[in-house]
Amino acid sequence: MSKSSCFTPEIVDELLDKLSTDDQFREQFLGNPALVLHTMGVDVDASQVPAIRRLPSKESLKANREAIKAKVAGKAGLVWFLVE
């Protein structure tokens, strides 16, 4: 898989699936989002990771999946912490 600095629709789908169902993945993502995204094929600048991080609830991610996908697909960076 080639590395990218933006979120492809496939990566967004995979990330939303995991963030909306997998508690362990959510913990890993909150602990080191740059590393988790790197393993998924997206390189982000670790210096851009907010010091205080929180994620929308699993239920919120499921309920707002299409709206989140529309906001995130093609974007670079760590917008996940800005999505409500």
CSV table of all heavy atoms in Angstrom, one decimal, residues 3-6 34 37-39 41-45 77:
chain,number,residue,atom,x,y,z
A,3,LYS,N,1.8,5.1,0.6
A,3,LYS,CA,1.5,6.1,1.7
A,3,LYS,C,1.0,7.3,1.1
A,3,LYS,O,1.3,7.7,0.0
A,3,LYS,CB,2.7,6.4,2.5
A,3,LYS,CG,3.3,5.2,3.3
A,3,LYS,CD,2.3,4.7,4.3
A,3,LYS,CE,2.9,3.5,5.0
A,3,LYS,NZ,2.0,2.8,5.9
A,4,SER,N,0.1,8.0,1.8
A,4,SER,CA,-0.6,9.2,1.3
A,4,SER,C,-0.7,10.1,2.5
A,4,SER,O,-0.6,9.7,3.6
A,4,SER,CB,-2.0,8.8,0.8
A,4,SER,OG,-2.7,10.0,0.5
A,5,SER,N,-0.9,11.4,2.2
A,5,SER,CA,-1.1,12.3,3.3
A,5,SER,C,-2.6,12.7,3.3
A,5,SER,O,-3.0,13.6,4.1
A,5,SER,CB,-0.3,13.6,3.1
A,5,SER,OG,-0.6,14.2,1.9
A,6,CYS,N,-3.5,12.0,2.6
A,6,CYS,CA,-4.9,12.3,2.6
A,6,CYS,C,-5.7,11.0,2.8
A,6,CYS,O,-5.2,9.9,2.6
A,6,CYS,CB,-5.4,13.1,1.4
A,6,CYS,SG,-5.3,12.2,-0.1
A,34,ALA,N,-1.1,9.2,14.9
A,34,ALA,CA,-0.2,9.2,13.8
A,34,ALA,C,0.4,7.8,13.4
A,34,ALA,O,0.4,7.5,12.3
A,34,ALA,CB,1.0,10.2,14.1
A,37,LEU,N,-2.6,5.7,11.9
A,37,LEU,CA,-2.9,6.1,10.6
A,37,LEU,C,-1.8,5.7,9.6
A,37,LEU,O,-2.0,5.3,8.5
A,37,LEU,CB,-3.1,7.7,10.5
A,37,LEU,CG,-4.4,8.1,11.1
A,37,LEU,CD1,-4.4,9.7,11.2
A,37,LEU,CD2,-5.6,7.6,10.4
A,38,HIS,N,-0.5,5.7,10.1
A,38,HIS,CA,0.6,5.3,9.3
A,38,HIS,C,0.4,3.8,8.9
A,38,HIS,O,0.6,3.5,7.7
A,38,HIS,CB,1.9,5.5,10.0
A,38,HIS,CG,3.1,5.0,9.3
A,38,HIS,ND1,3.7,5.7,8.3
A,38,HIS,CD2,3.8,3.9,9.5
A,38,HIS,CE1,4.7,5.0,7.8
A,38,HIS,NE2,4.8,3.9,8.5
A,39,THR,N,0.0,3.0,9.9
A,39,THR,CA,-0.2,1.6,9.5
A,39,THR,C,-1.4,1.4,8.6
A,39,THR,O,-1.4,0.3,7.9
A,39,THR,CB,-0.5,0.8,10.8
A,39,THR,OG1,-1.7,1.2,11.4
A,39,THR,CG2,0.6,0.9,11.8
A,41,GLY,N,-1.9,3.5,6.0
A,41,GLY,CA,-1.5,4.1,4.8
A,41,GLY,C,-1.6,5.6,4.7
A,41,GLY,O,-1.4,6.1,3.6
A,42,VAL,N,-1.8,6.2,5.8
A,42,VAL,CA,-1.9,7.7,5.8
A,42,VAL,C,-0.8,8.2,6.7
A,42,VAL,O,-0.7,7.9,7.8
A,42,VAL,CB,-3.2,8.2,6.3
A,42,VAL,CG1,-3.2,9.7,6.3
A,42,VAL,CG2,-4.4,7.7,5.4
A,43,ASP,N,0.1,9.1,6.1
A,43,ASP,CA,1.1,9.7,6.9
A,43,ASP,C,0.7,11.1,7.3
A,43,ASP,O,0.3,11.9,6.5
A,43,ASP,CB,2.5,9.8,6.1
A,43,ASP,CG,3.2,8.4,6.0
A,43,ASP,OD1,3.1,7.7,7.0
A,43,ASP,OD2,3.8,8.2,5.0
A,44,VAL,N,0.8,11.3,8.6
A,44,VAL,CA,0.5,12.7,9.1
A,44,VAL,C,1.7,13.1,9.9
A,44,VAL,O,2.5,12.4,10.4
A,44,VAL,CB,-0.8,12.6,10.0
A,44,VAL,CG1,-2.0,12.2,9.2
A,44,VAL,CG2,-0.7,11.7,11.2
A,45,ASP,N,1.7,14.4,10.1
A,45,ASP,CA,2.8,15.0,10.9
A,45,ASP,C,2.4,14.9,12.4
A,45,ASP,O,1.4,15.5,12.8
A,45,ASP,CB,2.9,16.5,10.5
A,45,ASP,CG,4.0,17.2,11.2
A,45,ASP,OD1,4.6,16.7,12.2
A,45,ASP,OD2,4.3,18.4,10.8
A,77,GLY,N,-4.3,15.5,7.5
A,77,GLY,CA,-4.2,15.8,8.9
A,77,GLY,C,-5.1,15.0,9.8
A,77,GLY,O,-5.6,14.0,9.4
